[in-house]
Amino acid sequence: MELLENRILKDGVVLPGSIVKVGGFLNHQIDVRLLLEMGKEVSRLFSGDGVTKLLTVEASGIAIATAFGAVMDVPVLFAKKHGTSNLSGDMLCARTHSYTHNTEYNMIVEKQYLKPCDRVLIVDDFLANGAALNSLIDIVNQAGASLAGCAIAIEKGFQGGGDRLREKGIRVESLALIDSIDGGNIRFRR
Amino acid sequence: MELLENRILKDGVVLPGSIVKVGGFLNHQIDVRLLLEMGKEVSRLFSGDGVTKLLTVEASGIAIATAFGAVMDVPVLFAKKHGTSNLSGDMLCARTHSYTHNTEYNMIVEKQYLKPCDRVLIVDDFLANGAALNSLIDIVNQAGASLAGCAIAIEKGFQGGGDRLREKGIRVESLALIDSIDGGNIRFRR
């Protein structure tokens, strides 16, 4: 998606460890107008697929999923990263590893909010090695729901997580797919 | 706001400690359509006030702020609850206490995203004793920005945080203001 790619080139900052900092518009300060345009593209890509729920994980996925949900008129469900006093009842849980923070955590979703009749589109801001997506897919499978696919803002293609999911037959649509970062220069896949 | 009050009565669950669980529509599963209606009401309340930025704190404030931002066409900024490897540069920081989780944490905002020229509306899902709001107001003051007020989904009036802020002359608009919870019965302020 050219609008997002141009914004990454304009306002993204490459940090050591191939981290692309997009806090100016995507996951700290949020350009809601941009997110709604991204939502229109995702809505177009998955139109006719009968999506009933968007699933993401706190915290930075929530803004994107909410904007997509506004465009698609679909409710959002976000996995929590640890148990809180406000969670109760049966839980769906998957262990995952954060590449950014180098920590392990549990993703938790209340079972009552994800049903076998749901058609789920997973949404996230970043896809790198795929650890978070694999855990969200695990949760969808535990619920017995069906998976429409994954809609990602920025995929770091050189970390391989997206292509491994595609090889398994899972539909992964990334609005910006970065193939390489050399000396701070970002190159997108065509 | 009658739509939200009725939804709380229908789908909210009162837990011990006067916790109102609204995970079915507000802060775990998110009814985006409801949030957009709430955004319309907040937009009406603060119309003509020149709001340039919505400020909230991760995680559960993000969905509401994003929906409000979509309606008001204003960017969103969310405070992070601890340092991450993706934050850099000068920070605005305020220490706060979580009533729900009974923990202390730092709220952090990158200084470059909040300027003296900003007119800020603080947004959050809950207002109880006001600890989170006070920290967000502290951050607005540190930035030298001006405060339009606070837009809250659910205020627990019996915990006093909202009225203490109003006594200081801060505009606090709560879409649902709970005055008491007796034996699981929720009573709203009229």
Side-chain angles (χ1 to χ4, degrees):
Chain A
M1 188 189 183
E2 203 176 337
L3 183 71
L4 178 60
E5 288 180 356
N6 288 341
R7 189 64 178 271
I8 294 166
L9 294 176
K10 178 171 168 277
D11 293 329
V13 178
V14 177
L15 298 179
S18 295
I19 287 172
V20 183
K21 188 173 172 292
V22 288
F25 57 97
L26 204 63
N27 54 19
H28 181 27
Q29 181 169 248
I30 296 155
D31 181 342
V32 181
R33 203 183 285 183
L34 172 68
L35 263 56
L36 292 170
E37 289 301 318
M38 290 161 57
K40 287 178 193 168
E41 175 64 6
V42 168
S43 181
R44 188 187 67 77
L45 288 166
F46 287 90
S47 69
D49 204 345
V51 171
T52 63
K53 198 153 289 186
L54 304 184
L55 176 66
T56 188
V57 58
E58 66 177 5
S60 51
I62 298 174
I64 295 171
T66 302
F68 291 8
V71 174
M72 299 172 76
D73 195 21
V74 169
V76 169
L77 179 63
F78 68 88
K80 307 210 173 189
K81 281 189 176 166
H82 42 75
T84 82
S85 58
N86 279 5
L87 287 169
S88 57
D90 285 343
M91 304 292 174
L92 306 170
C93 182
R95 188 97 182 138
T96 194
H97 178 83
S98 166
Y99 173 83
T100 311
H101 305 124
N102 196 26
T103 51
E104 298 271 327
Y105 62 91
N106 288 316
M107 277 188 197
I108 299 165
V109 163
E110 284 193 51
K111 197 172 179 178
Q112 62 176 321
Y113 301 132
L114 209 53
K115 299 286 187 189
C117 58
D118 272 318
R119 177 83 171 153
V120 181
L121 176 61
I122 293 173
V123 174
D124 211 355
D125 56 343
F126 273 97
L127 165 54
N129 60 25
L133 280 198
N134 277 308
S135 296
L136 289 168
I137 291 167
D138 185 6
I139 283 173
V140 172
N141 290 336
Q142 286 178 45
S146 74
L147 181 67
C150 306
I152 306 298
I154 302 174
E155 177 178 344
K156 296 200 262 188
F158 55 91
Q159 290 187 250
D163 289 333
R164 281 192 291 275
L165 288 167
R166 292 182 185 100
E167 282 162 17
K168 286 184 196 171
I170 291 168
R171 184 175 178 192
V172 180
E173 299 282 359
S174 296
L175 299 179
L177 203 168
I178 297 173
D179 247 351
S180 67
I181 301 177
D182 292 320
N185 287 318
I186 295 171
R187 184 179 304 225
F188 296 104
R189 188 180 296 181
R190 295 296 161 206
Chain B
M1 187 189 181
E2 203 176 339
L3 184 71
L4 178 60
E5 289 180 355
N6 288 341
R7 189 61 178 274
I8 293 166
L9 294 176
K10 179 171 167 278
D11 293 330
V13 179
V14 177
L15 299 179
S18 295
I19 288 172
V20 183
K21 188 174 172 291
V22 288
F25 56 98
L26 203 63
N27 53 20
H28 181 28
Q29 180 168 249
I30 296 155
D31 182 341
V32 181
R33 203 183 286 183
L34 171 68
L35 264 56
L36 292 171
E37 289 301 318
M38 290 161 56
K40 288 178 195 169
E41 175 64 7
V42 169
S43 180
R44 187 187 69 74
L45 288 167
F46 287 90
S47 69
D49 204 346
V51 172
T52 63
K53 199 155 286 184
L54 304 183
L55 176 66
T56 188
V57 56
E58 65 178 6
S60 50
I62 298 174
I64 295 171
T66 303
F68 291 8
V71 174
M72 299 172 76
D73 195 22
V74 169
V76 169
L77 179 63
F78 67 87
K80 306 209 175 190
K81 281 190 177 168
H82 41 73
T84 82
S85 58
N86 280 3
L87 288 170
S88 57
D90 284 344
M91 303 292 173
L92 307 171
C93 182
R95 188 98 182 137
T96 195
H97 178 84
S98 166
Y99 174 83
T100 311
H101 305 123
N102 196 26
T103 51
E104 297 271 328
Y105 62 91
N106 288 316
M107 277 189 196
I108 299 165
V109 164
E110 285 193 49
K111 198 172 178 178
Q112 63 176 320
Y113 301 133
L114 210 52
K115 299 286 187 190
C117 58
D118 273 318
R119 178 83 174 153
V120 182
L121 176 61
I122 293 173
V123 174
D124 211 355
D125 55 344
F126 273 98
L127 165 54
N129 60 24
L133 280 198
N134 278 308
S135 297
L136 289 168
I137 291 167
D138 186 6
I139 283 172
V140 172
N141 291 335
Q142 286 178 46
S146 73
L147 181 67
C150 307
I152 306 297
I154 303 174
E155 177 178 343
K156 297 201 263 187
F158 55 91
Q159 290 186 251
D163 289 332
R164 281 191 292 275
L165 288 167
R166 291 181 186 101
E167 283 162 18
K168 288 185 197 169
I170 292 168
R171 183 175 180 194
V172 180
E173 299 282 358
S174 296
L175 299 179
L177 204 169
I178 298 174
D179 247 351
S180 68
I181 302 177
D182 292 318
N185 287 319
I186 294 171
R187 184 180 304 224
F188 295 103
R189 190 179 295 180
R190 295 298 162 207

